[in-house]
Amino acid sequence: MIVIINYGMGNLYSIRNMLKKIGYQSEISDDPAVINQASKLILPGVGAFDKAMQNLASLNLIDTLQHKVMADKVPVLGICLGMQIMTTGSEEGTAKGLSWVNASTHKFLSDKDGPQLRIPHMGWNNVLRQNNSVLLKDIEDPRFYFVHSYYVQSAENSLIAGTAIYGKEFTCSFEKDNIYGVQFHPEKSHKFGMQLLSNFAKLPS
Amino acid sequence: MLHTRIIPCLLLKNQGLVKTVKFKKETYIGDPINAIKIFNDKEVDELVLLDITATLENRKPRFDYISELAGECFMPLAYGGGITSLDDIRALNKIGVEKVILNSIAMQDPDFVKAAVEEFGSSTIVVCMDVKKNFWGKFEVFTHAGKKGTGVSPQKFAAELEKAGVGELIIQSIDNDGVMKGYDLELIRQVSQLVSMPVVACGGAGNISHFSAALKEGASAVAAGSMFVFHGPHKAVLINYPSQEALKAI
């Protein structure tokens, strides 16, 4: 069973509905017991970095997640803020991230990153597949829907699974062992999102 | 490559969809969830949902219901109707609405528009401006679901919205609404040449050639209602959307 982690950060129903549409059952839960039984995890998120970490902590989910992801090696997909909290930390706040990947989260800066760059980066954008990404496999001309003001900067090039250009080229997807993150919203990117979620759901677990 | 957005515009009344002609003569279309599911299958890039009675009933958006609808959308959703506070926008963002559409409040309270842009960013804040030719044949902006004249010209209003930092402007012709004979191209031209923010043409589309005509006049995207919910000369209710192949011809 795929478990979508409900920690009070955004609407999770379109993720569940899209999985259902492509033939996978999932459960939305904040219960460590349910999460412990999961064969795959999705860590979604809309909102602020510190609030996300606080919510995970107050639901007693951090240890459960650490164990499932780092010891049991269960595949996990972070979406948007869910991807960012997998990094070591963010310029958005002071909380420590889950630190599952050697990467950190930074703010887009208007003018520095691109002339009169509008922030947030919002809308459909093309995604360039990198390093033979598993999640972006078999997607022709991939484009996805983005809404974000912060982006992940990877300390290791080998992590980078996808990039997009907004002012500059940035990492919009990373993959490391069982850990996957996407900055964009597959659940709002119709056929492209369905193929990506299907690639994730098909991973051996 | 920049994709031209072709946006179905759905009108919500209570918990059903309706389609109007010139903002009147409502036809019941059906269940919104069913319509959204069909648009999912058609790979629509964006959806607009307008609650057409919220402001008239002096009521807040129906957050729980909108949350349910947003959860069915496999595309970004823009919602308008009854938004009067920053808390409303915050709540909508949280339940999965990517963009909010302001109409009556944008005319009543320009400071609110500025505050909203400041807090949520331009790309979240869309204004829908409903325009009708008045008694003297001049374009005039109407609010309150087209019921209230403002005496303000679309050009003047658009310039103010641009200054406030609004991210996108939907220009809806009340006279052409539901008529399916094409957009009001004069209106689209007059406003598009004045502002640099993206303009979305709305009101009057009946076929794909109408899209091309509006884009030629400066619209960045096109929205349509009747065309996507009716079929054939007798306007039988049928949710539809051009094939991706047909859309490439635009």
Side-chain angles (χ1 to χ4, degrees), chain A:
Chain A
M1 174 74 87
I2 300 173
V3 174
I4 302 165
I5 297 158
N6 180 12
Y7 61 115
M9 306 300 280
N11 187 335
L12 316 178
Y13 294 103
S14 44
I15 302 176
R16 187 182 66 184
N17 289 338
M18 189 176 263
L19 284 168
K20 190 171 157 201
K21 172 106 186 159
I22 57 174
Y24 295 92
Q25 290 302 316
S26 61
E27 190 170 343
I28 294 174
S29 178
D30 60 3
D31 181 354
V34 174
I35 293 169
N36 263 322
Q37 296 299 314
S39 58
K40 289 198 175 74
L41 295 170
I42 293 182
L43 188 59
V46 170
F49 192 96
D50 285 4
K51 178 91 167 88
M53 290 308 298
Q54 279 160 21
N55 286 8
L56 283 179
S58 60
L59 288 163
N60 286 318
L61 291 180
I62 292 182
D63 288 347
T64 308
L65 289 175
Q66 291 289 6
H67 187 82
K68 282 295 273 185
V69 172
M70 300 314 271
D72 295 353
K73 300 277 177 195
V74 164
V76 59
L77 172 63
I79 296 175
C80 197
L81 181 63
M83 172 202 202
Q84 295 176 1
I85 60 173
M86 291 172 158
T87 68
T88 51
S90 171
E91 288 177 3
E92 190 182 9
T94 54
K96 194 170 169 291
L98 294 165
S99 309
W100 292 340
V101 290
N102 193 1
S104 50
T105 304
H106 300 265
K107 189 170 175 39
F108 274 121
L109 296 173
S110 193
D111 292 329
K112 184 174 163 281
D113 288 332
Q116 296 181 329
L117 194 70
R118 285 169 196 253
I119 297 160
H121 169 214
M122 184 167 179
W124 289 85
N125 202 346
N126 296 327
V127 168
L128 306 159
R129 184 180 178 219
Q130 309 287 357
N131 290 323
N132 286 318
S133 159
V134 176
L135 291 192
L136 290 166
K137 199 173 159 240
D138 298 328
I139 307 180
E140 204 184 325
D141 298 327
R143 61 188 171 92
F144 289 91
Y145 188 77
F146 289 80
V147 195
H148 63 125
S149 303
Y150 295 81
Y151 65 95
V152 168
Q153 208 170 307
S154 171
E156 295 165 33
N157 278 336
S158 60
L159 285 178
I160 302 172
T163 56
I165 297 168
Y166 192 64
K168 60 182 180 184
E169 192 169 6
F170 69 95
T171 300
C172 66
S173 172
F174 59 58
E175 296 177 7
K176 192 198 178 186
D177 307 327
N178 56 320
I179 301 162
Y180 299 81
V182 293
Q183 181 60 64
F184 46 79
H185 289 272
E187 77 281 13
K188 292 280 176 177
S189 306
H190 53 73
K191 68 172 175 187
F192 305 99
M194 286 185 214
Q195 185 62 49
L196 184 138
L197 288 183
S198 157
N199 289 343
F200 176 70
K202 276 190 294 209
L203 291 170
S205 51

Side-chain angles (χ1 to χ4, degrees), chain B:
Chain B
M1 190 181 107
L2 200 65
H3 295 265
T4 307
R5 290 172 297 148
I6 315 284
I7 308 167
C9 178
L10 303 176
L11 307 180
L12 195 61
K13 186 174 182 182
N14 302 320
Q15 302 201 342
L17 293 181
V18 295
K19 182 63 203 105
T20 51
V21 177
K22 298 179 192 276
F23 279 33
K24 298 194 177 93
K25 269 181 64 182
E26 289 162 10
T27 305
Y28 178 72
I29 300 300
D31 173 38
I33 294 202
N34 182 44
I36 290 170
K37 284 185 173 164
I38 296 170
F39 286 125
N40 281 338
D41 290 339
K42 306 284 184 189
E43 296 161 11
V44 169
D45 279 352
E46 190 171 330
L47 209 56
V48 162
L49 185 68
L50 301 174
D51 182 332
I52 58 171
T53 54
T55 297
L56 297 177
E57 293 167 2
N58 202 11
R59 155 170 76 66
K60 291 262 170 213
R62 291 196 165 99
F63 296 106
D64 288 345
Y65 186 58
I66 300 163
S67 169
E68 199 182 316
L69 298 182
E72 296 291 338
C73 286
F74 298 161
M75 74 290 273
L77 173 66
Y79 166 85
I83 298 165
T84 53
S85 73
L86 297 176
D87 279 341
D88 291 344
I89 302 176
R90 220 168 280 132
L92 288 164
N93 273 177
K94 201 168 172 204
I95 59 177
V97 173
E98 282 77 17
K99 296 184 186 183
V100 298
I101 302 170
L102 310 177
N103 177 284
S104 304
I105 187 81
M107 179 62 82
Q108 286 162 9
D109 190 352
D111 288 340
F112 173 72
V113 179
K114 272 185 215 154
V117 168
E118 210 156 281
E119 174 155 353
F120 303 98
S122 289
S123 44
T124 309
I125 308 298
V126 180
V127 169
C128 178
M129 154 162 108
D130 300 330
V131 181
K132 189 156 80 174
K133 274 196 175 146
N134 63 19
F135 183 73
W136 295 277
K138 289 234 159 53
F139 288 127
E140 179 180 339
V141 178
F142 279 68
T143 60
H144 295 75
K147 294 204 168 17
K148 213 165 157 178
T150 61
V152 176
S153 76
Q155 289 94 330
K156 182 167 181 285
F157 191 38
E160 282 168 16
L161 295 170
E162 171 116 315
K163 232 174 105 190
V166 167
E168 192 164 285
L169 182 60
I170 302 174
I171 304 176
Q172 173 151 245
S173 161
I174 298 175
D175 297 314
N176 291 29
D177 172 52
V179 180
M180 300 181 75
K181 296 226 163 95
Y183 295 102
D184 189 325
L185 297 176
E186 181 60 32
L187 174 64
I188 304 296
R189 175 167 51 240
Q190 285 186 15
V191 180
S192 310
Q193 65 189 19
L194 200 75
V195 294
S196 61
M197 68 181 138
V199 163
V200 183
C202 187
N207 61 55
I208 285 185
S209 73
H210 295 149
F211 295 160
S212 311
L215 296 167
K216 226 175 106 196
E217 298 299 342
S220 301
V222 286
S226 301
M227 191 179 149
F228 299 145
V229 297
F230 294 129
H231 178 72
H234 303 293
K235 289 180 134 191
V237 172
L238 177 74
I239 306 290
N240 70 96
Y241 191 75
S243 68
Q244 297 295 328
E245 214 43 50
L247 290 176
K248 272 186 194 142
I250 296 169

